[in-house]
Amino acid sequence: MTRFPRPGCWYRFSSADWQFIRDSLALTQRDRDGLVALLDDPEAVKMILDHPKLFEAVVMSRRAAILSPEMFFFTIVRHTLMQAGVDDLEVADYIAVVCADFGLPATADQKLPSSKLESLYSIDYIEALENAGAHERFFIHVQCANQFLVLTCLYPDFLHRRAERRGAPDVDFYEKVVVSHLEAAGKHALAEEFALDDTFAHVASAFPPARRAMNHTVREYLSLGA
């Protein structure tokens, strides 16, 4: 969860992802040839990825097991958010990127702050912020927001059970944590430097309905464990 978000899921789709898209949406060779030609147009790609048949294929087909995390989560998140009336592609892309990156080891070329924090207690992040320098505060805000974004979107039942057993805060509390840290990150000077200030603001604004929609999709279609 300490990795810096890298918007643009579709730029990291694998060859198997594109083959899955062609097979799911094109029934004939002529259709496949036409679809391949459209994939050279970035705007057409975004329209293709919004096709409802693609979501159905991802959640229903056994072949979806070959998909990259970026392809899987972008399709799930984009469809879910559009159904909830959240049509901002930037919001879906950010949430999908964070979900795809969750739990995966960082690669050598990714630049991370020298220290990191992983905790289920938001107070630990607050204490870390009090002792952090101006540069590091930005990354702590992003890390905290991303960690609880994944937990509240994909593992709400884990947070519910934890709240029932231990009296810990429930999902609604951590939803507010995500929003507050995204807003704080968006106001940091580094957000503008990384061209993420508008993205953080848009995700923070759309997050409450997006989170509730994701919880519904997870329960209806996915089995992610907890």
Side-chain angles (χ1 to χ4, degrees), residues 161-177:
R161 290 195 297 269
R162 186 169 171 270
E164 292 172 354
R165 290 197 306 264
R166 305 183 184 180
D170 212 331
V171 177
D172 290 343
F173 171 83
Y174 287 116
E175 176 188 283
K176 294 181 176 68
V177 170

Side-chain angles (χ1 to χ4, degrees), residues 39-168:
L39 294 180
D40 290 331
D41 180 354
E43 293 305 315
V45 168
K46 295 172 185 177
M47 293 178 60
I48 290 167
L49 296 178
D50 284 351
H51 200 294
K53 283 181 62 177
L54 189 59
F55 172 80
E56 294 175 7
V58 168
V59 297
M60 300 298 293
S61 173
R62 293 182 179 179
R63 292 179 54 248
I66 68 172
L67 299 178
S68 68
E70 287 82 5
M71 165 67 180
F72 177 81
F73 280 112
F74 182 80
T75 306
I76 295 295
V77 173
R78 177 65 170 156
H79 174 87
T80 296
L81 268 57
M82 285 196 300
Q83 291 294 310
V86 180
D87 196 42
D88 192 332
L89 183 68
E90 192 176 32
V91 172
D93 182 47
Y94 184 90
I95 293 176
V97 166
V98 173
C99 290
D101 280 351
F102 179 68
L104 298 178
T107 58
D109 62 336
Q110 288 172 314
K111 305 300 183 183
L112 303 176
S114 57
S115 61
K116 61 183 180 179
L117 174 69
E118 294 179 0
S119 173
L120 289 180
Y121 298 96
S122 59
I123 188 66
D124 291 337
Y125 287 96
I126 294 174
E127 292 176 355
L129 286 167
E130 291 175 349
N131 299 313
H135 181 86
E136 190 179 16
R137 289 174 65 86
F138 172 73
F139 291 96
I140 293 174
H141 282 308
V142 173
Q143 180 188 342
C144 181
N146 288 351
Q147 174 168 323
F148 290 114
L149 182 153
V150 171
L151 285 171
T152 54
C153 283
L154 302 184
Y155 303 103
D157 292 341
F158 165 76
L159 293 176
H160 285 319
R161 290 195 297 269
R162 186 169 171 270
E164 292 172 354
R165 290 197 306 264
R166 305 183 184 180

